[in-house]
Amino acid sequence: MKTILCTGDSHTWGQGAAGVLEGFDPPVQAGELRLTDFRCDSYVNLLRRKVEETTGSFSKEWEAPCLTALFEVEYRTPCACIGIGQQAAMSFTGALMRVEYSRAGSPCRFEVEIDGETSARREEPVASGGNDFHILTMRLPDGTHRASFKVTEGELLLYRIETYGGAFCVINAGVGSCPSFRYRERYFEDYVTAVRPDIVLAEAHTINDWIAGAPPWEYVVNLKTLLEDFRNLGAETILMTVSPIAGEQARGGFDYREYVEASRQAARMAGVRICDANRMMELGLAELEEGQSYAWLFEDDWHPNGRGHAIYAELLFQALCQREVFLPDFRLEKMS
């Protein structure tokens, strides 16, 4: 199975797409680490659906209420709670399992067995706050598997499980409110290295680097380093430029458009291809009469709406097609 990893900030996470904020209890916060579900129309979900439709691949999600019923354990908002000695096992088909869990109010030690063999162990200290969620990824032989979660200290709070099978998978590794340098420092190992991606579709974090206040030339260096880290893992990397923004364009003495151009420069310096979504969106906005642009593209000043997410997804799918990523016998067509 080839793994297509979508990295970035809240745009990748899904903010702005219809339905993305529904159902979160407690409500989302800046830098939210709980993953979004597969149902909303974020660009990663749209892209995943098209890739799966094209290649016959498949994915499945288990959210905490479902896991609570499956394992017959306590539900403690927003997680299924597995304690010491409780039986928690499930069967699934695929070649990759991704588990998101929260740290509890006491230290936790647990392991995951796949088909009777220990696949992963984690020792976790006490949670540092409410937004303390972590991801565990396991690559497996393709087939049907049985996973068991065994807690030896404390309790394991499971938020969601994702499984993927077939020729390709598309994984969401977006973290909201996260500039490029923070993504590399805090999230790279668990969100990227553990996946061992074949392809990285890297959304450029531009808005958050602009907000962070480092000048554009520092952003070039930070983003270039991140892109090179992707390539050093052996992943083919495509940089996607970030949408235009509405409202004030200047911050800290620098114009947002300078950062967009800096992202293009970083991609050229790192030797990666560019999927220039910003340029395509700017062309679309240029065709509109004054007063129409906000409703056409924006959910709020800094996030694209459903149309913006659809543009992201369409351009990324076409970029994959142009690279002949999919096998020749798969039918390639534009997303509807």
Side-chain angles (χ1 to χ4, degrees):
M1 180 174 66
K2 286 191 174 182
T3 303
I4 301 170
L5 188 67
C6 298
T7 66
D9 54 26
S10 60
H11 289 214
T12 305
W13 182 84
Q15 191 164 349
V20 73
L21 300 181
E22 297 173 5
F24 276 95
D25 181 19
V28 299
Q29 58 182 289
E32 180 63 61
L33 294 177
R34 287 173 292 174
L35 296 169
T36 53
D37 60 47
F38 289 170
R39 298 182 298 276
C40 67
D41 289 336
S42 66
Y43 83 78
V44 177
N45 285 352
L46 294 172
L47 179 64
R48 181 188 302 110
R49 292 169 198 162
K50 186 59 181 177
V51 169
E52 291 180 351
E53 173 191 328
T54 302
T55 66
S57 303
F58 55 93
S59 57
K60 187 172 181 178
E61 61 181 339
W62 286 263
E63 296 171 300
C66 175
L67 294 171
T68 299
L70 178 65
F71 298 150
E72 298 182 341
V73 295
E74 176 189 356
Y75 179 72
R76 191 181 306 155
T77 306
C79 295
C81 179
I82 303 172
I84 297 173
Q86 291 185 303
Q87 299 297 315
M90 59 185 291
S91 297
F92 67 95
T93 300
L96 187 146
M97 180 182 229
R98 196 174 185 227
V99 177
E100 184 170 30
Y101 62 94
S102 174
R103 290 174 176 169
S106 59
C108 173
R109 183 183 294 116
F110 70 93
E111 63 183 45
V112 184
E113 287 187 356
I114 305 292
D115 303 328
E117 299 289 335
T118 300
S119 181
R121 288 189 177 94
R122 284 286 173 95
E123 253 184 82
E124 298 289 0
V126 177
S128 60
N131 190 32
D132 197 346
F133 291 82
H134 301 266
I135 292 177
L136 176 61
T137 302
M138 291 161 283
R139 297 289 297 262
L140 307 162
D142 192 23
T144 298
H145 304 282
R146 186 163 180 82
S148 298
F149 298 86
K150 296 188 176 181
V151 179
T152 55
E153 181 182 357
E155 54 189 6
L156 171 61
L157 302 181
L158 284 179
Y159 181 69
R160 69 181 279 114
I161 293 174
E162 302 171 355
T163 59
Y164 301 84
F168 294 88
C169 71
V170 176
I171 294 177
N172 190 329
V175 179
S177 302
C178 189
S180 59
F181 60 86
R182 187 175 303 137
Y183 191 88
R184 180 172 178 265
E185 292 166 358
R186 294 188 185 178
Y187 302 106
F188 197 89
E189 182 175 351
D190 284 347
Y191 280 68
V192 182
T193 303
V195 176
R196 306 201 305 269
D198 296 288
I199 300 166
V200 172
L201 304 179
E203 180 248 299
H205 298 261
T206 308
I207 295 173
N208 284 291
D209 280 86
W210 174 66
I211 293 171
W217 50 89
E218 289 188 18
Y219 171 46
V220 169
V221 174
N222 291 334
L223 183 57
K224 172 180 173 289
T225 302
L226 178 62
L227 296 173
E228 289 173 339
D229 285 347
F230 294 143
R231 294 193 64 189
N232 288 339
L233 291 176
E236 179 174 358
T237 303
I238 298 174
L239 185 282
M240 182 174 72
T241 58
V242 179
S243 72
I245 60 172
E248 181 59 52
Q249 301 292 311
R251 192 180 182 93
F254 297 103
D255 191 279
Y256 173 73
R257 296 177 186 86
E258 295 180 69
Y259 288 79
V260 176
E261 184 54 41
S263 72
R264 298 184 181 108
Q265 182 182 350
R268 291 191 291 267
M269 292 172 66
V272 305
R273 293 180 62 232
I274 299 174
C275 175
D276 206 342
N278 178 277
R279 175 62 176 161
M280 295 300 293
M281 292 175 180
E282 288 280 15
L283 289 172
L285 291 171
E287 297 295 320
L288 300 175
E289 296 181 6
E290 187 175 354
Q292 295 179 321
S293 61
Y294 200 96
W296 187 79
L297 186 63
F298 300 105
E299 176 68 19
D300 58 43
D301 285 357
W302 293 346
H303 295 95
N305 59 15
R307 178 180 284 109
H309 277 271
I311 293 171
Y312 276 153
E314 166 69 17
L315 294 175
L316 287 172
F317 183 73
Q318 292 306 313
L320 294 173
C321 292
Q322 290 164 10
R323 293 299 292 166
E324 299 181 347
V325 167
F326 306 119
L327 297 176
D329 57 339
F330 290 135
R331 178 171 55 89
L332 305 182
E333 61 185 26
K334 288 188 176 182
M335 297 175 66
S336 58

